[in-house]
Amino acid sequence: MTQAEVHRAGDAPAKVDLQQGETYYWCACGRSAAQPFCDGSHQGTGLAPVVFVASKTETVFLCTCKQTLNPPRCDGSHKS
Ligand code: FES
């Protein structure tokens, strides 16, 4: 299967409160209606979410433009 294009889901990062030890599924395809997290809309695209476990309880900024080079976190790429 060929990979579908990644969609730009937003023009600014999403501020999210993470809980230590929780597993999260960051949407990498840009199609989720539940940004910045996966809602299963990537099915059939060949793309998949980035799965991560929060190492501590903290507030973070997660990428929604899907151009970050440091997923799932915003690296400022939405400005370019
Ligand atoms: Fe985008 Fe699952 S909906 S990775």
Side-chain angles (χ1 to χ4, degrees):
M1 176 195 296
T2 55
Q3 269 197 352
E5 248 180 65
V6 172
H7 291 186
R8 187 179 181 100
D11 293 326
K15 188 177 179 184
V16 174
D17 295 321
L18 300 180
Q19 297 297 316
Q20 182 177 13
E22 284 290 314
T23 300
Y24 296 91
Y25 298 80
W26 176 77
C27 171
C29 77
R31 289 164 175 76
S32 174
Q35 293 296 327
F37 298 114
C38 173
D39 70 354
S41 296
H42 63 272
Q43 286 193 5
T45 64
L47 300 165
V50 172
V51 183
F52 68 99
V53 177
S55 59
K56 59 182 177 179
T57 297
E58 62 179 336
T59 300
V60 297
F61 290 89
L62 299 186
C63 173
T64 67
C65 77
K66 312 306 176 185
Q67 305 302 312
T68 181
L69 298 178
N70 184 32
R73 293 181 185 236
C74 172
D75 72 352
S77 292
H78 60 277
K79 294 175 187 158
S80 61

